[in-house]
Amino acid sequence: SIEYVFTLPDKRDRDLSNLIKGIEDYLVSEKVILDDNYKIVTKFLVRYDSISKVNPQASIVIRRAVSHTQNTQFQETPSTEI
């Protein structure tokens, strides 16, 4: 699963779902994730946090799915700033 938390630079209306496509493409190109298809990224959360003109940012948490028969659990992978 991937969690995206956005701190935006201003109050302008944005479609948060559009913000993640470029990030996912970058994660694939840098081999952080194998692909951004539904078989690899089985769940994602996109959230607006706040506005900061001096420090707009995207925080990204990637959790690896671990399957135990019918239960799927997610383990957080170590953070890497990109």
Side-chain angles (χ1 to χ4, degrees), residues 1-70:
S1 74
I2 302 178
E3 179 180 355
Y4 304 89
V5 182
F6 291 97
T7 301
L8 301 174
D10 53 44
K11 293 182 180 182
R12 189 176 64 172
D13 288 343
R14 288 178 174 79
D15 184 341
L16 291 179
S17 62
N18 288 340
L19 296 177
I20 68 171
K21 184 59 184 154
I23 295 170
E24 285 182 341
D25 290 345
Y26 179 78
L27 293 173
V28 172
S29 73
E30 294 299 312
K31 298 181 178 24
V32 176
I33 59 176
L34 294 175
D35 201 340
D36 58 355
N37 68 50
Y38 72 94
K39 293 177 185 176
I40 304 296
V41 180
T42 58
K43 180 172 96 171
F44 62 89
L45 170 69
V46 181
R47 184 168 59 91
Y48 159 77
D49 181 54
S50 60
I51 293 174
S52 174
K53 290 182 180 188
V54 295
N55 193 26
Q57 59 185 305
S59 298
I60 303 163
V61 177
I62 301 170
R63 293 179 180 87
R64 180 175 298 149
V66 179
S67 182
H68 299 286
T69 50
Q70 292 183 338

